[in-house]
Amino acid sequence: MIAGSGWHFLSGISYYTCRLSNALHERFDVSTILMRRLLPARLYPGRERVGQQLSDLRYDAGVPVFDGVDWWGVPSLARAVAFLRAQQPDVLVLQWWTGAVLHSYLVLALAARRLGIRVVIEFHEVQDTGELRHRWAARYVRGAIRPLLNRTSGVVVHSAFDRDALASAYDLGGVPAEIALHGPFDHHVVPAAPASPGDGVRRLLYFGTIRPYKGLEDLIEAFETLGPEHHLTVVGETWEGWTLPGRLIEESPARDRITFVNRYVPDAEVNEYFAAADAVVLPYRRSSASGPLHIAMSHGLPVVVTSVGGLVEAAGPYAGTVFVPPADPAALAAGITGAAGLIGRRHADPSSWDRTTDAYARLFERIGIGQDIATSSNHTMPLFSPDLR
């Protein structure tokens, strides 16, 4: 059973939860619990779009889905526990990306362990960067996550970088950990090959939420040094009040060559923007993983990306990657210029959901669950693995 972000508060983790559930369903019996309302809508950065139908992705027909758990818990958490009891999975896999779900996950983990169900946490990052800016939120997560970790039998991360960051934040002890590289985000319609109108214009795309760690301001500065043959499209919703990039765009001397789409776009538009791009630029100052990176690789586009965090492992095997140092507009501009030779041909995406599923299968074996997981029987006695401390 996978527990993760639902569609009501749509984000990249919503897509990942669905794709992971469908991928694991190729090999195992899978069910899913969705976190529906994460927090009071007025506190959510994308509050204007909460509840809108923006995604075309769907769960496979054979995946039972409980949608879902609300932050206030009553009666949704009781119903989620009843769903857990009815499905009787061998493993409950919790997708971790925000402290807003911590209290709900703790209830689910407690119920799972009482039913003899193992608990695994997949960490997308140790804690959301926006939450870390608030001292009370950081303290809450670091203190309240302990009871959850103490009931965890194994962990999954996206990279060796994330594994080391997690070990630094929490003492993992002897708890098994597996690296499951992010699978492809190829659910958008992918054109046969990146195509340029042949007008000599190099079309650059920045895609994703606009947040302090995303480094968009570095790209705006770098873009102003590029020649007039370059055009930049910025598509993203502003989070955490980070309006600096928007102001820089409006004040830029290259404003007439920048298209700014300051909102969260539906899936049909996502494909249109990537299909129209010659290269994707992701100037992150830090990052564990990146959905836009995987969309770009699924489209076979050249990617200019900073060599930070887990992105090195994710984009390293991709032939269309140009790495640049973070927070260095001059180096970013040079990387964009250097990517010109990669434009015009489709690069093969090295990511694979089969590889992700294999990592999960290895972890299941390590925590004492054999290949009969797909046809699991009811448990009568809890079997505990070493706990996180």
Side-chain angles (χ1 to χ4, degrees), residues 269-319:
E269 291 186 50
V270 173
N271 178 64
E272 291 173 3
Y273 286 117
F274 279 87
D278 293 312
V280 175
V281 187
L282 302 173
Y284 301 159
R285 294 189 173 189
R286 62 165 297 279
S287 184
S288 293
S290 167
L293 169 64
H294 287 277
I295 299 174
M297 293 194 298
S298 292
H299 279 76
L301 290 167
V303 179
V304 181
V305 61
T306 47
S307 52
V308 295
L311 302 187
V312 176
E313 292 168 70
Y318 183 56

Side-chain angles (χ1 to χ4, degrees), residues 211-233:
R211 307 178 67 179
Y213 77 88
K214 293 293 189 79
L216 178 55
E217 58 273 23
D218 298 328
L219 174 56
I220 303 306
E221 183 178 342
F223 182 75
E224 293 173 356
T225 68
L226 300 174
E229 71 276 14
H230 294 86
H231 184 278
L232 173 63
T233 298

Side-chain angles (χ1 to χ4, degrees), residues 11-312:
S11 70
I13 306 299
S14 306
Y15 290 92
Y16 185 88
T17 301
C18 184
R19 290 303 306 267
L20 177 67
S21 298
N22 290 346
L24 290 175
H25 182 55
E26 296 285 327
R27 192 177 308 185
F28 308 116
D29 288 337
V30 174
S31 54
T32 304
I33 291 177
L34 298 181
M35 302 293 110
R36 182 170 52 195
R37 293 177 174 86
L38 299 177
L39 71 169
R42 68 181 183 278
L43 302 179
Y44 188 64
R47 63 184 67 87
E48 292 82 6
R49 61 174 171 82
V50 166
Q52 294 181 17
Q53 183 62 49
L54 299 175
S55 172
D56 299 327
L57 196 59
R58 295 293 181 269
Y59 285 83
D60 287 348
V63 178
V65 177
F66 176 79
D67 187 10
V69 175
D70 302 317
W71 66 268
W72 60 88
V74 179
S76 59
L77 259 178
R79 292 172 177 169
V81 171
F83 180 76
L84 176 72
R85 185 179 295 111
Q87 294 296 320
Q88 198 63 217
D90 293 276
V91 186
L92 172 65
V93 180
L94 305 173
Q95 299 297 303
W96 176 261
W97 80 105
T98 172
V101 299
L102 179 52
H103 63 292
S104 300
Y105 279 4
L106 183 55
V107 171
L108 292 175
L110 287 168
R113 293 305 291 259
R114 287 170 182 165
L115 293 167
I117 299 167
R118 310 296 185 83
V119 177
V120 167
I121 302 179
E122 177 168 359
F123 283 89
H124 294 274
E125 54 188 336
V126 176
Q127 187 173 2
D128 179 79
T129 56
E131 293 174 355
L132 282 172
R133 293 174 57 202
H134 301 283
R135 185 176 301 176
W136 62 269
R139 286 179 176 176
Y140 163 69
V141 169
R142 292 194 67 84
I145 200 173
R146 288 291 177 180
L148 178 61
L149 297 178
N150 289 345
R151 290 163 176 82
T152 302
S153 297
V155 298
V156 175
V157 293
H158 289 310
S159 65
F161 173 86
D162 289 339
R163 180 193 59 202
D164 295 342
L166 182 61
S168 296
Y170 304 109
D171 181 9
L172 298 179
V175 174
E178 282 287 340
I179 296 173
L181 297 178
H182 197 300
F185 267 11
D186 53 1
H187 42 273
H188 302 287
V189 178
V190 180
S196 176
D199 55 5
V201 177
R202 294 177 186 170
R203 293 169 173 81
L204 310 176
L205 173 66
Y206 169 93
F207 186 90
T209 53
I210 298 170
R211 307 178 67 179
Y213 77 88
K214 293 293 189 79
L216 178 55
E217 58 273 23
D218 298 328
L219 174 56
I220 303 306
E221 183 178 342
F223 182 75
E224 293 173 356
T225 68
L226 300 174
E229 71 276 14
H230 294 86
H231 184 278
L232 173 63
T233 298
V234 174
V235 182
E237 182 179 59
T238 299
W239 279 36
E240 302 173 57
W242 192 241
T243 58
L244 174 62
R247 294 200 306 271
L248 292 176
I249 289 173
E250 293 304 321
E251 298 167 0
S252 173
R255 181 66 181 89
D256 61 335
R257 295 187 285 119
I258 303 175
T259 299
F260 188 24
V261 183
N262 192 200
R263 58 186 172 86
Y264 200 102
V265 299
D267 285 354
E269 291 186 50
V270 173
N271 178 64
E272 291 173 3
Y273 286 117
F274 279 87
D278 293 312
V280 175
V281 187
L282 302 173
Y284 301 159
R285 294 189 173 189
R286 62 165 297 279
S287 184
S288 293
S290 167
L293 169 64
H294 287 277
I295 299 174
M297 293 194 298
S298 292
H299 279 76
L301 290 167
V303 179
V304 181
V305 61
T306 47
S307 52
V308 295
L311 302 187
V312 176

